[in-house]
Amino acid sequence: MGGQLTRTAGATGFHGRGISRHVEDAVDAQAKTLESLIHYVDPADMNGEDALSYCRATGARIAHPVGAPLTLGTVSGRWNGRTVMKFDGTAARGVEIEAQRADPTFAVDSFTFVAAIDIAAALRSDANGPGGQVFGMYLPGTGTNASPFLLCPADGTYGLSAGSKLGSGGVNLALASTPAADTEFIVAVSYDASDYTIKMYIDDTASAVAQDTGSAGTNASADDRAFMQTGFRLGSTDYTWNGNIGKNLWIGEAMHATSGKLAELDDLMAAMRSYYAIS
């Protein structure tokens, strides 16, 4: 998908009034260089309640749960004044991106997920679960998650957990090593399906803050109906995010697999830090 992006302003793009003028930002420029980019969710381009939004990478529809409107907006004095998705952890809020491939191995491919997020104090300090999800894959009709996930487990021990399949290994970042509550940061999770290695990075790729060298050993359940969720539940009303989520990207390869790919990931994370004025 390298070389181009779609851009449709949320407020005007699909309401018959034309598409607004857009000036490409630094994150857009880096995203365009990613040959394996699958999804690019940009809150600045999204619609609110009862309106469809569209993925920047593919044009796939981004749906909002019925009865759980998504709140879009700025956060006073934070996030560099940029629009973010705002979650309060009290309902099954979030977005779902429609399945894009007929290939049933989509859910088990190597992947990298990158997102700008913060964790609300109520979620970060919760030790009784069930936690909140930044992203995951869901398999319709089964009531279960399909595959990869990144979440705050709210168990009093870990601040972030990520893996290729919920309940089947992965990596955990100690609560003490997780950014403070209500503080925006960039997180990246890179998973290699060929050797089961997974690494997590915060703000840059100088060193992995958490990693597993293959003991996870479980790829996700394959199904062509699987779709990506951001800030939404994993099969129930549990795991709804509490905090804010900015731009987030799903890349169809493990960006830690080579030094060149890791450098590309670092450039993307740097652009996202600049966009949100994260020091």
Side-chain angles (χ1 to χ4, degrees):
M1 187 60 205
Q4 64 180 16
L5 296 173
T6 64
R7 181 91 190 195
T8 305
T12 61
F14 285 83
H15 295 273
R17 294 190 293 272
I19 298 175
S20 64
R21 182 175 179 271
H22 169 65
V23 178
E24 181 178 275
D25 63 49
V27 183
D28 295 342
Q30 289 299 322
K32 286 169 60 176
T33 70
L34 300 172
E35 294 181 355
S36 300
L37 181 64
I38 296 175
H39 288 308
Y40 178 7
V41 178
D42 184 353
D45 262 4
M46 294 176 66
N47 292 297
E49 182 180 2
D50 298 327
L52 286 174
S53 302
Y54 295 82
C55 169
R56 290 287 316 283
T58 63
R61 291 176 296 178
I62 301 175
H64 305 250
V66 175
L70 176 69
T71 301
L72 297 166
T74 59
V75 181
S76 179
R78 297 179 50 211
W79 288 93
N80 201 25
R82 308 292 191 181
T83 297
V84 295
M85 294 182 283
K86 306 169 78 171
F87 302 92
D88 60 13
T90 62
R93 301 174 186 270
V95 296
E96 302 170 340
I97 304 176
E98 67 179 354
Q100 280 291 289
R101 295 186 177 181
D103 178 0
T105 64
F106 171 52
V108 302
D109 286 344
S110 299
F111 72 87
T112 301
F113 179 79
V114 192
I117 69 171
D118 65 28
I119 307 173
L123 175 59
R124 194 181 185 281
S125 63
D126 185 4
N128 298 309
Q133 175 199 223
V134 179
F135 88 99
M137 299 289 288
Y138 185 73
L139 179 58
T142 66
T144 60
N145 66 297
S147 56
F149 66 93
L150 170 65
L151 54 82
C152 174
D155 60 3
T157 301
Y158 300 114
L160 290 170
S161 297
S164 59
K165 184 177 183 180
L166 193 64
S168 302
V171 293
N172 299 295
L173 180 63
L175 190 60
S177 299
T178 303
D182 302 309
T183 301
E184 50 267 45
F185 62 96
I186 311 301
V187 58
V189 176
S190 177
Y191 174 72
D192 191 335
S194 67
D195 61 8
Y196 310 117
T197 58
I198 183 169
K199 296 191 176 186
M200 182 187 297
Y201 302 93
I202 300 292
D203 287 336
D204 60 46
T205 64
S207 62
V209 296
Q211 60 184 318
D212 188 286
T213 57
S215 63
T218 303
N219 286 322
S221 304
D223 194 290
D224 61 349
R225 298 171 297 164
F227 54 83
M228 177 180 157
Q229 299 173 320
T230 299
F232 199 33
R233 63 183 188 267
L234 283 176
S236 70
T237 56
D238 294 342
Y239 302 107
T240 301
W241 190 245
N242 192 347
N244 302 295
I245 301 177
K247 289 176 183 266
N248 55 96
L249 302 90
W250 179 276
I251 306 164
E253 63 182 313
M255 298 298 281
H256 75 272
T258 69
S259 59
K261 292 296 182 181
L262 191 62
E264 289 183 41
L265 177 59
D266 196 67
D267 288 342
L268 174 63
M269 296 176 77
M272 295 174 73
R273 291 200 316 273
S274 177
Y275 182 80
Y276 292 113
I278 298 172
S279 58

